[in-house]
Amino acid sequence: MDTSYFVRRRLFCPGPTPIPLRSLMTSVENNPYHRTDFFYSLISNCHDFLKPFFGTSGTPLILTSSGTGAMEAAMVNLTDPEDKVLMIHAGRFGERWAEMAMSYGCQTVRLDIPWGQVPDPDDLVKVLAKEKAFKAVFFHGVETSTGVYFPVAELTKVIRANSDALVVVDAVSSLVCHEMNMDDWGVDCVVAASQKGFGTAPGLSFISLSERAWQRLSKRPRFYFDLRTEKKEQSEGKTAWTPGTQLVLSLHSSLQTLLAIGRPNLYDFHARITEGVRAALRAMGLELYVPQDYAHSVTPFKVPQSIRAGDLNKELVNKYNMIFAGGQNQLQGKVLRIAHIGFVDPFDIHAALAGLELSLKTHGIDVVGKGSGEFLRSAAFA
Ligand SMILES: *Cc1c(COP(=O)(O)O)cnc(C)c1O
């Protein structure tokens, strides 16, 4: 039977993520005008709502771009050509920082970490001592391609103790799932995006700078992403250019909901869902890709050798209307990823596990009820 007509579409990819209905409806306004007091206060509210997720008393600026735009804003505003930069690199998004730095003419040094692992602080100390005088160190919280969470606080401490470099963190798929305290931890720049933890459609990105970073802006030519212009305008709730207005409306609503739930509850919830998903996958006899230091936003698992990952993924989409994420680069064909970032409903995750079980059965592995049952008994519902 073709169930796909009856089953609603469910997203289990690490962005875009489900949008709360109220937030979706809020965005349906007939092209609001952004040069109004109403819109200025909306932007200012969003700043205030975003601050606790960044852990800063500064203002996370709102840009109209995907997450990579905020990464680029960090790059052009904080580095000059020929600056030496260090990239801690363990997957596709670490790679993105490195490629970006090279296209901007930085002397790019890579600390290559095997995929699925986190950096050894001693290796970081060594490279900082050997190379010296880095302008900035770039890394991420969650590496979405591998499902690893880099311990941002700990790495920042090591960098700050051993160099004068600015610390720049891609937290696009960590915020809302993992705590971030950029002021306390000494992080100089954090970037994020609307379509991951924040339950908003793609198109807005966020960037927050420390005082130290504002003091050390680059001399590069720049225009759309000139953070000096944005800072000046956004201090009054204005934006330098036309913002994605309907996205801002939606973001405002989603942030209100997130803050009503409360950050400690959000972090606890995502940790529990992660434990539940991991227990469920193990109960199905599947191997988890990341043994430790795993993300609370996305969980990759190895697809059994007897099955083609692409076939399994296609069946999940075509038959059950479930969008999982495949493996990227060297993990292509080896893993599938279940995301549980943003406004994830635990009963949808239960459905994901059930859909996975049914698809595995088609491919000769009958574990129906094993993982989904385990999930109901797991930390996710405790
Ligand atoms: C999604 C994501 C980004 C941003 O990607 P865009 O497609 O530009 O929004 C950046 N870093 C990480 C870790 C991500 O997961």
Side-chain angles (χ1 to χ4, degrees), residues 14 66-69 71 93 96 140 142 144 170 172-173 193 195-196:
S66 85
T68 307
M71 293 170 74
F93 288 95
R96 188 172 297 181
H140 45 69
V142 172
T144 319
D170 165 0
V172 175
S173 59
Q195 82 274 25
K196 307 274 172 109

Side-chain angles (χ1 to χ4, degrees), residues 107-365:
Q107 285 183 54
T108 309
V109 178
R110 290 163 181 249
L111 179 59
D112 279 311
I113 313 296
W115 283 41
Q117 296 180 23
V118 300
D120 179 341
D122 291 342
D123 292 342
L124 187 52
V125 171
K126 266 183 228 147
V127 68
L128 290 168
K130 181 167 157 252
E131 299 278 351
K132 298 216 173 57
F134 285 109
K135 174 71 185 285
V137 180
F138 292 79
F139 58 102
H140 45 69
V142 172
E143 169 55 74
T144 319
S145 60
T146 63
V148 166
Y149 175 72
F150 275 14
V152 177
E154 195 184 323
L155 295 177
T156 303
K157 202 167 166 187
V158 171
I159 297 162
R160 294 295 301 265
N162 290 279
S163 85
D164 192 39
L166 294 173
V167 177
V168 183
V169 176
D170 165 0
V172 175
S173 59
S174 1
L175 292 198
V176 184
C177 294
H178 291 271
E179 189 155 9
M180 166 66 76
N181 285 311
M182 63 178 288
D183 290 2
D184 287 354
W185 298 349
V187 180
D188 293 292
C189 175
V190 173
V191 301
S194 53
Q195 82 274 25
K196 307 274 172 109
F198 293 105
T200 304
L204 296 178
S205 67
F206 316 121
I207 182 165
S208 191
L209 265 55
S210 69
E211 253 332 294
R212 208 167 75 113
W214 283 116
Q215 303 299 326
R216 296 193 196 175
L217 293 180
S218 73
K219 297 184 182 67
R220 279 189 198 277
R222 53 192 182 273
F223 196 78
Y224 186 78
F225 285 134
D226 191 338
L227 295 180
R228 292 166 298 196
T229 320
E230 285 297 348
K231 188 185 188 200
K232 183 165 162 286
E233 295 293 328
Q234 293 197 26
S235 68
E236 296 172 41
K238 300 171 181 173
T239 47
W241 327 111
T242 307
T245 47
Q246 289 174 325
L247 295 171
V248 174
L249 288 166
S250 188
L251 175 72
H252 188 268
S253 168
S254 288
L255 285 168
Q256 277 178 316
T257 308
L258 288 170
L259 289 172
I261 297 168
R263 282 184 310 114
N265 289 331
L266 288 166
Y267 303 136
D268 180 48
F269 172 74
H270 285 99
R272 284 163 179 273
I273 288 284
T274 306
E275 293 308 328
V277 167
R278 292 175 65 86
L281 293 168
R282 274 193 297 254
M284 281 186 226
L286 296 171
E287 197 185 333
L288 297 163
Y289 178 67
V290 185
Q292 58 203 22
D293 306 305
Y294 44 86
H296 292 171
S297 43
V298 58
T299 301
F301 58 91
K302 294 186 186 167
V303 176
Q305 296 252 313
S306 58
I307 304 175
R308 287 176 50 167
D311 292 345
L312 194 63
N313 206 3
K314 251 187 229 147
E315 171 146 355
L316 285 160
V317 177
N318 295 340
K319 211 158 159 194
Y320 303 115
N321 230 338
M322 294 179 178
I323 304 180
F324 282 52
Q328 297 171 303
N329 300 26
Q330 67 191 67
L331 290 183
Q332 199 177 0
K334 299 207 169 83
V335 303
L336 289 186
R337 295 172 294 155
I338 304 181
H340 29 84
I341 179 169
F343 287 86
V344 45
D345 176 337
F347 285 103
D348 277 344
I349 298 291
H350 181 251
L353 296 163
L356 180 59
E357 288 167 348
L358 292 171
S359 300
L360 284 169
K361 190 169 173 220
T362 315
H363 291 91
I365 299 177

Side-chain angles (χ1 to χ4, degrees), residues 1-8 315 318-321 358:
M1 186 185 64
D2 187 354
T3 42
S4 64
Y5 294 112
F6 309 102
V7 178
R8 80 177 146 80
E315 171 146 355
N318 295 340
K319 211 158 159 194
Y320 303 115
N321 230 338
L358 292 171

